[in-house]
Amino acid sequence: MSQAQISKKRKFVADGVFYAELNEFLMRTLAEDGYAGVEVRVTPIRTEIIIRATRTREVLGEKGRRIRELTAVVQKRYNFPENSVELFAERVENRASCAMAQAESLRYKLLGGLAVRRACYGVVRFIMENGAKGCEVIISGKLRAQRAKAMKFRDGYLISTGEPKKHYIDEAVRHVLMRQGVLGVKVKIMLAHDPEGKMGPSIPLPDNVIVHEPKEEVPIMVPDMYAAGGGEGGGEGGYDGTA
């Protein structure tokens, strides 16, 4: 991440590689602390790295020791000048709507020896009880027998294509190193719409139809037909029977 003049194309590639490496490093280091993603903000003065996690106290460590260690590692690895990079920890408000946190939770359940179905149904129920619109857990590998297979656990409403997928679907994949082989775990969560944008996307689904309550009907005033005509005998003369 040197400050030398580089082309736009190379800069985008360098930024992408930096983010991918940093994400992988933090994912391995903070797996037990509910790591849920990272955000890199580059300002003219310094580079800010915001670590999202469910247990921020463990990320910070005793008197901020652990986060200082992580800052030193990142600074040395990417040759940042002194005091030009800073790490922050941000707490995830609703961990049930974070696919990364749930995938890690499922991983530790499986490593602890819990039955596959029980672990998956537990995660699905926890996600759905905490306000998600839908979720899917796919687990594949040597589950019980020597033959590998895949199991899917779904609940609720889940979209899988189009523009809304980018905003509404949170997805995470983890590998579980079991004794008999590696299991693959994929967690998909469909977030619920939130107009304020705190617990979910503020953009409504394009096919969402809102039916408004009907307005109160105002009685229509019917004009009095006979008021102007002067009774039943008024008006033009008709046929009177004479030739």
Side-chain angles (χ1 to χ4, degrees), residues 71-234:
T71 308
V73 168
V74 171
Q75 189 176 310
K76 276 197 173 68
R77 165 67 183 83
Y78 297 102
N79 301 322
F80 279 107
E82 197 74 32
N83 300 324
S84 68
V85 64
E86 197 162 348
L87 270 71
F88 301 97
E90 184 185 53
R91 189 168 174 272
V92 175
E93 289 303 320
N94 187 7
R95 67 190 178 98
S97 63
C98 174
M100 272 194 186
Q102 291 311 308
E104 283 294 349
S105 159
L106 183 56
R107 180 167 162 252
Y108 281 104
K109 280 181 182 179
L110 294 169
L111 286 170
L114 195 66
V116 173
R117 280 173 188 241
R118 193 168 178 192
C120 292
Y121 277 124
V123 167
V124 168
R125 193 170 71 247
F126 178 70
I127 292 167
M128 293 306 290
E129 280 173 1
N130 282 276
K133 209 167 187 183
C135 74
E136 181 183 57
V137 174
I138 304 171
I139 188 157
S140 63
K142 291 202 284 192
L143 301 174
R144 283 182 75 92
Q146 280 297 305
R147 181 88 180 178
K149 62 175 180 175
M151 291 169 89
K152 279 187 183 182
F153 303 87
R154 296 186 69 163
D155 197 5
Y157 173 64
L158 204 79
I159 57 168
S160 56
T161 55
E163 173 72 16
K165 188 192 172 191
K166 295 177 187 175
H167 310 292
Y168 276 87
I169 300 289
D170 191 15
E171 195 174 337
V173 176
R174 288 290 179 275
H175 308 300
V176 190
L177 278 65
M178 304 290 278
R179 199 168 65 240
Q180 72 268 34
V182 181
L183 294 183
V185 168
K186 185 190 252 186
V187 177
K188 269 182 172 181
I189 299 171
M190 175 142 172
L191 308 168
H193 170 61
D194 179 18
E196 292 175 10
K198 288 177 183 174
M199 304 301 281
S202 56
I203 306 160
L205 282 166
D207 59 348
N208 187 31
V209 179
I210 299 164
V211 179
H212 295 289
E213 285 291 316
K215 292 178 183 176
E216 281 187 29
E217 285 188 20
V218 180
I220 299 162
M221 297 300 289
V222 181
D224 194 351
M225 292 172 69
Y226 307 115
E232 286 185 21

